Structures are given as C-alpha cells and as structure tokens.
Amino acid sequence: MASAARATRAARRPPANPRRRARALMIGTLVVFSVFAAQLFRVQAFDASATRKDASAKRAVGSTIPAMRGRILDTNGVVLASSVERFTVNADPKALATYLKTAKTEGDPNAYGAQPAAAQVAPLLGMPVDQVTRLFSIDPKRPENRYVQIAKDVTPQTWGQIKTLGIPGLSVDRTAARQYPTGFAGGALVGYVLPADQAPGDGVELLMNNTLKGTTGKIVGEMAANGALIPGSQTVDQPAVNGSDVTLTLDSDLQFFAENALAQQVINTDAESGTVVVMEVATGKIRACPTYPSVDPNDIGKAVKANLANRCFGESFEPGSTGKAMTMAAALETNAVTASTGVIVPNRLPRAGELFKDNEDHPIQNLTAAGVIAKSSNIGTMLIGERVPPATMESFYRKFGIASPTGVGFAGENHGLLAPSATWGKAQRYTVLFGQGYSLNAIQAAGVFQTIANGGVRMPPTLIESTTDAAGQVTAAPVPQGIRVVSTQTAATLSRMLEEVTGPNGTARAARITGYRVAGKTGTADRYVQTSKNSGGYQGFTASFIGYAPADKPKYIVAVFIQAPKQGMFGGQLAGPVFHQVMTYLLQKDGIAPTGVSAPPMAVFPDRPLSEDDPKVLSDKQAKLLGF
C-alpha cells in the first residue's frame, strides 16, 4: 500500500526543466562573482593604502643611518675629538655564487663564484684572499645564510673602489669612527667612546653625550623574493641628525706643555701619578687639567684601567699644608689674628693627648702669623686655628667648596670628605687645621687659591664654554655666579702672606719666577690609601704646590700634585719646579710683563722677642689660660 502511494506521487511530478537548472546555476555564479568583485573593489578602493603598506612591510628591509657625533674642541677651535664616516662590508654568498669574472674564460671553474670576487676585493680590504674567499663562499652548515660580515671600519674611499667592481651580493652598513688628534694630551679629560657602538666611556664624551650623540636615521628598501635588495628601492625614512659640537675652556697647547712637564717630574721622582690644574682666576675656567700616566683614546683597548678616569676630578686626597690657607683665612676674617700677630712655636705642642710637631725639629721659634704660613708650621697653625670655634672653621671650609660637587658634573667626580665639626674627634679638631683629616680633589684645591686671588670671591669651576648645533647655532654655557667667602681685605692680606712662602724665608724657593711676584703654598701630606672596601691606611705622601703670579694682578692659578713619590717628599722641592715651568709658560704666552715693583713689606719674624706672658701673643701658655 505504501509503495503504491509513493509510485502515485512520483507519477504526478513534472519532468526536470534543464533551463531552470541552468538559470539557478547562473544566478549562483553571479552571486559568487559579485562577492569577489565587491571584495576586490573594497581592497582597491577603500583599503588600497593599508594593503599596499602591508605588502611593502612584508618586502621591506631597514638599515640605520648613523649620526655623526659632534666634535670636541678646545677654546681656540683645535679639534680634540671628531667622527668620520666608515662602512661595514657585508656579503650575500648566494648572490656571489653568480659572479663571473669576465677577464677569464667561461670554461675556467676558478673564474666563477667566490674566489674571483675575493681575489679583487681582498687587496682593497688588506685581507688575505683565502680568508675573504671563505667568507664569500656558501657555508655547507648554513646554506640558507645570506648575510656574512666581511670587514669593519672601511673608509668611504675603499668602499667606492669595491663598489666599482660591480660584484653582486656586496652591501654596506654605514658606521662611524671616533678620532682623537691630540692623543695622550688630554686623553683622560676628553674621554673616549667604545669602538663597537660609539658608546661613551668617560670624560667629556660621557659628560656631554646627550649633546654630542645626535639622532640615528633610517633607510628603508624592498627585498626581492630571492632575498636580494631591489635596486633603486631604498629611501630615507628618517634622516639622521648629527650631534652638536662642544667647545671646552681647555687650551690644548697649554695642556700639552703642562702634561709633558708633569710627566717628566713624575718619572724623575718615581711617583705613582701626578696632576696639574690651571684655572683662570676671574672666571674659574679650567684651562688645563693633565694627569700622568694618561691614556690614548685612539687605542683605548691598551689603556690601563687605573688611568682611564681623570684624576683632577676622580681622585681625592688630604691636602696637607696647602689647606692652611683656609685656616688662616678663617682666622683673619674672624679677627682672631692679624698678619703681624706674634706666635711662639715650641718644638712640640701637647693637644688632645698627643704631642704634635712640625716637619722638622727646631728650637722654640718666634714667628708672626705671616711667618707661620711662610715656614708652614703645623704648631703655629694650630695655635692660630684653635682661636676659631670648630663649627665656624667648618663653615669656612665649606664656603671654599670642600666636600661639595664642583658643579662641572664630571662623571666619577670624587667630592672629597669633611665630617661635621660636631663629630670631630679630639685630635681631628687639630689635624684639620693643618690639612689632615679631610679630603678634596685637585679642582677643589685649586679653587681655594682662586678664591684668595680673586679678592675673596669663589668662582665655581667650568669646563664647557659653548655648544654649536648642526645648523651652526652657538649656545654659550651658563656663567656661574661668584660666591663671597672672605672679605676683599682678608683676601689681600692672605695673598700678601702667601708671597712670603716663595720669599727668602719660605718653603718654596723652587717656585720663584725672576721678575714676578709669586704667591702660593707648599703641601706635604700623609697619603691615605684604601686597601679594601672597609679599611685602609697611610702610605707615602702627597707633595703639592698651588700658587699664582703676578701676585698683585693674578690671571691664573697653577696647582701641582705629585702622588706617592719615592724620591723626595716635600711639595716645594717636587711640585714647585713644575709650577715654575707651567707658570713661566703662561706668563710668556700671554705676554704678561714682569711685576716691576717689590711687594709691600711683611714681617716673618717679630721685631722684638715674644713673651708667653703677653696676652697678645699666641703661645701654649696663653692657649691654656684661655681653656684650649
């Protein structure tokens, strides 16, 4: 029954219509094509830009355009550091395999591929042909590798010669190399950059890196399916901006002269190292800052690590007797003494449970305060300095810039150390008076005498004179404000007292310059050496002399420090001759005429015998009566 019903329904269906089926198929095809057409229209009309960018991105290959670091110049425009364009040559071994040297027959197997290419390129690079051939050849272990670095630091001239050979598969990356024309002279001050990435390592290169480095640019090209760069496809996506030039206050001729004079004395005295600072009195500008041993930044890989940092900023030490200038300045400023105040100096002075002495034994001496400076008497300085309260004395040291940043911002600067006076031990209260028990660096030490020579106004030191951008716009460095430390009268009196140091009764005869009035101070300090992180001890000496000339109208401070000499120890004998050479050079270079007149008289010895019973005389007896 069911089967009969199905047969009846089938018999009622009309036969299939081929036209209707064809029409349905056509309509379906048109719908599909319409969808494709709409999608194509969308891609080409609405998303064309994005699609092109996506396709280009897949083919794009980028390379950087290095920015040339700015130059470092001295105050006269002499180049101390500059950058030159260099190239790194790269090779595509697969492309090189297609090279045919036309000078040989096609049947010669050696004329095809890496070997004939290497035979032409290697002599230009100064490399063995065998080595270049290996680099040009496809590596069986990495047959897919299409990038091999061949040579670095290639000059534009050499790359130009290689390029004209027309060898396929060779390309370059632009790089830069840093050159230092003055070499060792100023090497530890100018600093250096690392050859691999031009990153600054020390000195002005590090201090002014943000100004010098510039901004890297970018080149974008398109890569073909075979991995080769499509000719003519490279465009500058972002231009490089070269760094700005930096002009220093440094005088390279003076730097060279001072470094040579220093090096000879360090060698003669078998010393560990030495430092010279030349500072302009009126401005605080650093005109020279040599250290020895130094480094050649052109060959930094051979430098001794200890010599990389500039000792003018990076090394602190106890000043010894040059620090007595600050003690005397405080005593004069507070009216504790005058230049003519009488001082009875015994052979030993009992203080803080110890017996203090001068460098050499002597009978009881009658001196003036000026004589104490001229003779560099520790005992006399203690008798004078104890009249000034410790907190007041500390405040003067800090006004002179001790234990404070110089303001130059030099990397690795050691600010020195001066403990608060409230923490000074019983003995330290006296040792600081003659320059032991605190530390400073060479720039700070020179700044003390710059302050005295400048009428009592301390000018913070400067090393940067100006910057010049790629467009030639010059920007002068900010001029620091002077800081009044002592009065003009105190500075003038102390300056005159310091002239007696180079006089017939002083300790620095070797620093004298014929025809010129010279003021300054010798120093011989016990040298503290850090032997481990938490311990150290005194080993050897720091011999120094800091002074200026002409004393009545000074232009420059010259500070000389000889560290750990094995031949001698006294500042007048070891540092004085270097001061003499450098200051003489400056006077002649600037055409400064001889003084022409003698200094006003100032007594080193009192005009009458001194009595311990005289309340106006400084002596151990009077000190005890006053409770010291």
Side-chain angles (χ1 to χ4, degrees):
M1 225 22 217
S3 61
R6 284 196 296 270
T8 302
R9 286 195 297 270
R12 291 175 183 171
R13 281 186 198 146
N17 189 334
R19 291 183 178 180
R20 185 182 301 166
R21 184 176 294 173
R23 189 163 47 249
L25 181 62
M26 183 179 293
I27 292 171
T29 302
L30 289 174
V31 169
V32 171
F33 275 109
S34 296
V35 171
F36 277 117
Q39 180 69 3
L40 182 63
F41 180 77
R42 182 185 65 79
V43 170
Q44 291 186 337
F46 296 105
D47 298 338
S49 177
T51 303
R52 281 196 300 271
K53 287 182 179 179
D54 183 60
S56 296
K58 292 179 180 179
R59 300 195 309 271
V61 58
S63 61
T64 60
I65 309 172
M68 293 292 110
R69 282 180 76 83
R71 299 176 300 169
I72 300 175
L73 312 169
D74 86 336
T75 187
N76 299 310
V78 175
V79 177
L80 305 177
S82 63
S83 289
V84 291
E85 186 180 40
R86 290 290 183 265
F87 294 98
T88 296
V89 179
N90 311 307
D92 177 353
K94 285 192 176 182
L96 277 163
T98 67
Y99 175 62
L100 177 67
K101 187 176 179 182
T102 57
K104 294 190 176 184
T105 63
E106 293 186 19
D108 183 352
N110 294 323
Y112 191 75
Q115 198 282 331
Q120 296 188 79
V121 173
L124 297 176
L125 294 176
M127 297 172 66
V129 175
D130 290 348
Q131 180 185 0
V132 178
T133 300
R134 286 194 300 271
L135 293 170
F136 279 4
S137 302
I138 295 175
D139 185 353
K141 296 180 180 179
R142 299 177 60 203
E144 76 287 351
N145 184 32
R146 308 201 64 169
Y147 179 88
V148 179
Q149 192 175 90
I150 307 301
K152 295 181 178 181
D153 202 29
V154 175
T155 65
Q157 293 80 7
T158 299
W159 169 240
Q161 291 175 300
I162 294 172
K163 194 175 181 181
T164 58
L165 298 175
I167 297 173
L170 295 182
S171 62
V172 290
D173 294 322
R174 284 184 172 86
T175 60
R178 199 68 163 160
Q179 297 181 338
Y180 300 91
T182 55
F184 281 97
L189 183 70
V190 173
Y192 61 93
V193 296
L194 300 174
D197 57 6
Q198 298 292 288
D202 216 323
V204 175
E205 292 278 24
L206 182 57
L207 170 65
M208 299 299 291
N209 184 52
N210 289 339
T211 301
L212 291 165
K213 68 180 180 180
T215 304
T216 301
K218 185 179 181 181
I219 293 178
V220 177
E222 291 188 32
M223 190 75 76
N226 65 358
L229 190 67
I230 299 175
S233 68
Q234 288 182 301
T235 58
V236 176
D237 184 61
Q238 177 182 319
V241 179
N242 291 336
S244 298
D245 292 344
V246 173
T247 299
L248 307 182
T249 60
L250 209 69
D251 182 322
S252 60
D253 288 342
L254 173 62
Q255 177 84 11
F256 179 79
F257 181 89
E259 188 157 319
N260 282 340
L262 175 67
Q264 191 59 56
Q265 190 68 337
V266 169
I267 293 169
N268 290 345
T269 60
D270 194 14
E272 181 179 298
S273 64
T275 305
V276 172
V277 176
V278 179
M279 186 180 291
E280 201 168 76
V281 169
T283 64
K285 291 181 178 180
I286 299 169
R287 295 303 188 186
C289 191
T291 65
Y292 184 84
S294 187
V295 295
D296 182 359
N298 293 300
D299 196 4
I300 204 65
K302 294 183 179 179
V304 176
K305 185 178 180 180
N307 299 332
L308 290 175
N310 187 276
R311 292 183 176 90
C312 293
F313 292 93
E315 183 177 61
S316 69
F317 49 88
E318 298 183 32
S321 294
T322 57
K324 293 172 182 174
M326 291 186 288
T327 300
M328 189 62 72
L332 291 170
E333 185 74 2
T334 58
N335 298 314
V337 295
T338 66
S340 60
T341 296
V343 184
I344 299 177
V345 180
N347 181 260
R348 295 288 189 275
L349 183 66
R351 289 291 185 273
E354 297 184 24
L355 287 175
F356 289 88
K357 70 182 190 68
D358 290 331
N359 273 329
E360 297 178 354
D361 284 333
H362 56 74
I364 294 176
Q365 294 179 322
N366 284 352
L367 300 174
T368 63
V372 167
I373 285 290
K375 294 293 186 181
S376 196
S377 170
N378 292 344
I379 293 174
T381 304
M382 290 168 63
L383 289 169
I384 291 171
E386 66 185 359
R387 301 298 179 105
V388 180
T392 303
M393 189 64 73
E394 179 199 347
S395 71
F396 275 101
Y397 290 171
R398 297 196 186 279
K399 287 178 185 177
F400 274 107
I402 307 308
S404 297
T406 62
V408 173
F410 207 82
E413 179 180 310
N414 190 323
H415 305 153
L417 181 65
L418 174 64
S421 57
T423 68
W424 290 353
K426 292 181 179 180
Q428 188 180 12
R429 187 264 187 272
Y430 290 97
T431 61
V432 294
L433 301 175
F434 54 83
Q436 301 275 181
Y438 66 94
S439 63
L440 41 60
N441 62 41
I443 301 295
Q444 293 168 332
V448 171
F449 287 76
Q450 175 275 324
T451 302
I452 297 166
N454 195 42
V457 176
R458 180 168 70 87
M459 296 300 299
T462 56
L463 181 61
I464 308 303
E465 200 157 86
S466 65
T467 59
T468 306
D469 64 20
Q473 180 67 38
V474 178
T475 303
V479 178
Q481 293 297 310
I483 302 163
R484 170 67 66 183
V485 178
V486 294
S487 68
T488 303
Q489 182 58 51
T490 292
T493 300
L494 181 54
S495 181
R496 179 64 194 87
M497 294 168 73
L498 292 171
E499 284 190 70
E500 294 303 321
V501 175
T502 62
N505 297 302
T507 58
R509 297 181 184 87
R512 297 175 186 170
I513 301 174
T514 303
Y516 294 87
R517 290 169 55 183
V518 178
K521 186 71 191 74
T522 55
T524 302
D526 291 326
R527 187 167 182 264
Y528 186 84
V529 177
Q530 193 83 23
T531 54
S532 67
K533 185 177 180 180
N534 298 314
S535 64
Y538 287 96
Q539 300 175 20
F541 303 94
T542 296
S544 59
F545 182 83
I546 311 175
Y548 46 92
D552 56 326
K553 196 175 182 181
K555 185 174 181 179
Y556 299 105
I557 301 296
V558 175
V560 182
F561 308 90
I562 307 294
Q563 299 291 349
K566 295 181 179 63
Q567 305 297 323
M569 59 180 281
F570 295 114
Q573 297 171 354
L574 304 188
V578 180
F579 168 87
H580 176 93
Q581 293 178 64
V582 175
M583 184 58 80
T584 300
Y585 173 89
L586 283 165
L587 294 170
Q588 293 174 351
K589 182 176 182 292
D590 282 18
I592 298 174
T595 305
V597 295
S598 299
M602 180 168 281
V604 171
F605 304 105
D607 56 4
R608 57 181 175 79
L610 301 178
S611 170
E612 287 191 310
D613 294 323
D614 187 340
K616 295 182 180 181
V617 171
L618 303 188
S619 66
D620 186 29
K621 182 178 180 179
Q622 289 296 337
K624 288 176 180 177
L625 289 174
L626 293 173
F628 294 121

